[in-house]
Amino acid sequence: MSPRPRRPDHGAPRRLLLVTLGVLIAGCGGGRPDQGPAISRVPPDSAAALAFTSRHAIPFDTAEPGHGFADLMPLKQVIGDARIVALGEGTHGTREFFEMKHRLTEFLASEMGFTVLAMEANSPEAERVNDYVQGGEGDPRALLKGMYFWMWDTQEVLDLIAWMRDVNRARPGRLRFAGFDMQTPTVAIEQVSRFVERADPAYGAEVARAYGLAKGAHPDAGGFGTAIGDFPVAACAGKRIHFFGWVKTEAVTRAYAGLWWRVDGASGVLKGDNMADRGLRGTNDWTRCEIALDVPAEAKHVQFGTLLVGNGTAWFDSLGVTIDGFAWSDPNDFDLDFESGSAPRGLSPQGPDYETTLDPGTAHAGQRSLRMRFTRTGGGTGAPGVTRAQVEAATAGVVRHLEQERADLIRRFAAEDVDRAIQNARVVLQCAKLGATTASRDRCMADNVRWILDHSPAGTKIVLWAHNSHVSRMPDQMGAYLDETYGRQMVVLGFAMNQGRYNAVGDAGVGPHDAIPGPPGSVESLFHATGLPRFILDLRQAPAGSPAAAWFGTPRPFRSIGTMAMDGFFPSPVSARYDGLIYFETTTASTLLF
């Protein structure tokens, strides 16, 4: 939610700080109405999009697996001859999303020849699950926990693994389970070290040295920097706020920059948004960012400010707040244009690895802006005298050595074992690169998906399972990087819902939370107006240049929920990011196993 001092980890691993990435969740509700009344319930500019949705939606009977495929047969035209089907999820804790992904995997495996399921999970740890899926020994619950991420530690994922094992019992080797993430190098280090000890013992000392450095390095990019202010509670409690401003970035490759807002009550966090799914990444000219939320009447403490997570430099200017549509200002205590004084008035810089100053040479308007810069790039790892650049160089050396020796190694060992060891060494290097902020997690995940396909039999088809934001074609996300290689060979399906329950991290830990219905103008409210309880929509069916195509191609509010509980609705051009959407009117929380 808001940046309370915790160490961030983009995505959903053990140390996750903020909400992961952008997602789409939209809604609807009970039998199909006549087209006329439905259109009357949405804004006039949405009428064409609603008519298109009502006409092209593919209803399905249930999300539960094991119910046959008669209602899913229209998906054969949606999928076509794609080699990759990327399945998102609007939250990391929704039962119906997980069940439907299981059911779709059944369909794709049974009807369309897909044989690999790869998840947003650490690669070598997922390989242990694959051993079980192939008929090996082990406790599947323990194997799920061994992938670290709480959101996979559910009955729904356990059922999926049991189904894959059953399929392979009847047809050995039919299905394969894989992971494409690299959140921690621990098991990868063990696997590479064990292989080198057996295959190249003379190189063992160098591996031990390099991986000793890797074990001592912090896995994150230094946390986050913020300029934080206390907003007057009396002015906003029980009202709707919009917090906006202009942000410019340079070389933000590890995470993102944006704005944030947090509301605390007597028992802890009530609401918040930190733009984790839609913050600016990479290098961007001045871009308008916005947060909109309803401040609960029982608010006791409200904070807001600017945020840079990870590396790079970000500039902030022309910040503003409206309350119930009226502009708010407090010139005595706040200067949100950064034009007066020698320090930002009303916002206090925090973050030991970040330099926050007023920049007289860069501005969106006026003469100055607030500049926030990560200052520890290539800096220390926590091990005395060791830099992150040194860790990266050492682990890169292991990859280089194994690649150079591959021809000799495969004469003495199975090529599959050699290539797996090299890939595990790359996972260790990827973790080092993330720590040194020289690579992005999503690019690494895309590279790992490519490796899985390149080391599979010709024509292998793969199902990807990750958060909506990761599978989407949003810039700097895994789906965008994969699109560069596979293009139309990949079909991306986002998951959406209107209201219900989901699991996420709250003030009391992981547990169920309520999702409010989509507001007017959102993708959720449009889907709700169809009256369908659940459906699949191929967004590509909207004719180019049509009003419906324009509606879905224009940023519209949609809800983004990662691992942290929140309501946040944010603008997204959904047809540019997804080929289709799978929608539920109402959802329930996933079934946690811990």
Side-chain angles (χ1 to χ4, degrees):
M1 305 200 56
S2 69
R4 185 162 283 187
R6 303 172 188 160
R7 301 193 73 77
D9 225 301
H10 183 61
R14 297 170 294 177
R15 301 168 306 280
L16 190 28
L17 156 83
L18 309 171
V19 185
T20 49
L21 2 167
V23 299
L24 174 66
I25 46 184
C28 83
R32 182 193 294 265
D34 293 334
Q35 183 170 307
I39 292 176
S40 70
R41 293 198 298 269
V42 299
D45 70 337
S46 303
L50 177 59
F52 166 81
T53 303
S54 299
R55 184 166 57 251
H56 290 277
I58 303 171
F60 58 93
D61 298 332
T62 180
E64 294 182 9
H67 284 263
F69 308 125
D71 56 334
L72 299 182
M73 285 303 171
L75 271 179
K76 287 192 173 183
Q77 287 188 319
V78 176
I79 303 303
D81 58 358
R83 188 181 182 191
I84 301 172
V85 172
L87 302 178
E89 54 198 41
T91 85
H92 276 316
T94 297
R95 177 183 179 185
E96 286 75 11
F97 291 169
F98 289 178
E99 287 184 332
M100 187 60 178
K101 289 167 82 168
H102 179 172
R103 189 175 183 223
L104 289 174
T105 303
E106 287 184 351
F107 171 77
L108 293 169
S110 301
E111 298 289 330
M112 303 196 71
F114 284 73
T115 58
V116 180
L117 170 65
M119 291 183 67
E120 181 189 338
N122 256 37
S123 175
E125 287 83 345
E127 196 61 28
R128 293 175 170 177
V129 176
N130 184 58
D131 290 342
Y132 177 81
V133 165
Q134 301 300 331
E137 299 298 322
D139 178 358
R141 288 197 178 207
L143 293 170
L144 281 182
K145 290 185 184 298
M147 293 199 302
Y148 310 135
F149 298 174
W150 66 261
M151 64 273 197
W152 308 145
D153 195 5
T154 68
Q155 185 64 48
E156 293 78 21
V157 179
L158 185 65
D159 291 343
L160 171 70
I161 290 171
W163 168 77
M164 294 181 72
R165 182 178 168 96
D166 286 343
V167 170
N168 286 338
R169 183 180 293 116
R171 298 179 59 187
R174 173 74 175 87
L175 298 178
R176 176 184 166 197
F177 186 93
F180 49 77
D181 211 341
M182 72 312 296
Q183 288 292 309
T184 175
T186 305
V187 175
I189 285 174
E190 294 174 0
Q191 300 283 5
V192 176
S193 300
R194 189 175 299 121
F195 176 82
V196 170
E197 182 181 345
R198 179 167 59 101
D200 193 1
Y203 190 63
E206 177 57 26
V207 170
R209 183 194 72 83
Y211 287 173
L213 297 179
K215 290 177 182 178
H218 292 298
D220 60 72
F224 61 86
T226 179
I228 182 173
D230 290 330
F231 196 87
V233 177
C236 64
K239 301 175 182 178
R240 184 165 182 82
I241 65 93
H242 283 77
F243 176 33
F244 55 87
W246 292 83
V247 183
K248 177 179 178 179
T249 60
E250 180 179 286
V252 180
T253 60
R254 176 64 174 90
Y256 69 95
L259 308 176
W260 66 271
W261 189 284
R262 176 185 178 119
V263 182
D264 289 319
S267 59
V269 180
L270 298 177
K271 236 173 202 185
D273 180 8
N274 58 20
M275 296 188 62
D277 70 306
R278 65 198 192 285
L280 300 184
R281 306 166 188 270
T283 298
N284 300 274
D285 202 355
W286 289 106
T287 302
R288 192 178 191 275
C289 296
E290 180 176 356
I291 287 171
L293 56 80
D294 295 314
V295 179
E298 62 270 28
K300 300 295 184 184
H301 187 209
V302 178
Q303 292 183 310
F304 74 125
T306 61
L307 180 65
L308 173 60
V309 185
N311 65 332
T313 304
W315 291 263
F316 305 87
D317 200 6
S318 304
L319 306 184
V321 178
T322 65
I323 301 175
D324 284 347
F326 294 94
W328 172 90
S329 67
D330 185 352
N332 293 325
D333 293 329
F334 293 92
D335 175 15
L336 300 182
D337 291 318
F338 310 110
E339 294 298 313
S340 61
S342 59
R345 188 167 75 245
L347 300 178
S348 301
Q350 294 186 11
D353 299 319
Y354 296 82
E355 174 190 75
T356 302
T357 59
L358 296 178
D359 186 343
T362 305
H364 172 260
Q367 303 298 315
R368 303 191 302 181
S369 64
L370 181 71
R371 183 185 69 187
M372 190 172 297
R373 183 170 66 92
F374 179 56
T375 59
R376 216 178 77 200
T377 302
T381 66
V386 179
T387 68
R388 294 175 186 272
Q390 288 173 319
V391 174
E392 180 180 347
T395 55
V398 176
V399 174
R400 187 165 53 250
H401 174 85
L402 292 176
E403 289 176 338
Q404 291 171 347
E405 297 297 318
R406 181 181 182 276
D408 177 65
L409 289 170
I410 62 175
R411 284 193 288 268
R412 297 183 288 119
F413 300 91
E416 180 180 355
D417 293 342
V418 175
D419 288 339
R420 173 61 62 181
I422 295 173
Q423 175 62 8
N424 282 333
R426 292 194 188 104
V427 169
V428 179
L429 174 59
Q430 288 170 348
C431 291
K433 285 178 173 288
L434 295 185
T437 69
T438 58
S440 75
R441 179 183 171 217
D442 277 84
R443 181 177 287 280
C444 290
M445 289 197 293
D447 289 342
N448 293 341
V449 171
R450 293 189 192 97
W451 184 88
I452 293 169
L453 283 172
D454 290 345
H455 289 78
S456 298
T460 292
K461 296 182 178 182
I462 188 171
V463 181
L464 304 183
W465 181 325
H467 198 273
N468 272 357
S469 61
H470 290 311
V471 302
S472 77
R473 292 187 176 90
M474 184 165 58
D476 299 318
Q477 296 297 294
M478 179 183 71
Y481 293 124
L482 289 174
D483 188 65
E484 295 173 359
T485 302
Y486 300 103
R488 291 294 102 184
Q489 295 182 66
M490 178 175 67
V491 170
V492 180
L493 300 177
F495 276 64
M497 58 94 147
N498 184 45
Q499 60 188 331
R501 302 273 279 172
Y502 64 96
N503 280 318
V505 178
D507 198 49
V510 178
H513 297 268
D514 292 323
I516 65 172
S522 66
V523 177
E524 290 86 346
S525 66
L526 180 89
F527 285 0
H528 173 77
T530 67
L532 292 170
R534 67 195 73 83
F535 62 81
I536 302 165
L537 180 66
D538 186 347
L539 296 167
R540 299 167 300 181
Q541 293 298 310
S546 68
W551 196 93
F552 286 111
T554 299
R556 305 286 176 183
F558 68 90
R559 177 167 32 213
S560 171
I561 301 176
T563 60
M564 302 291 290
M566 67 183 330
D567 291 333
F569 289 86
F570 315 113
S572 173
V574 292
S575 62
R577 296 180 178 177
Y578 307 94
D579 296 307
L581 300 175
I582 299 175
Y583 167 76
F584 294 87
E585 165 61 18
T586 304
T587 63
T588 56
S590 56
T591 308
L592 301 174
L593 294 177
F594 54 92

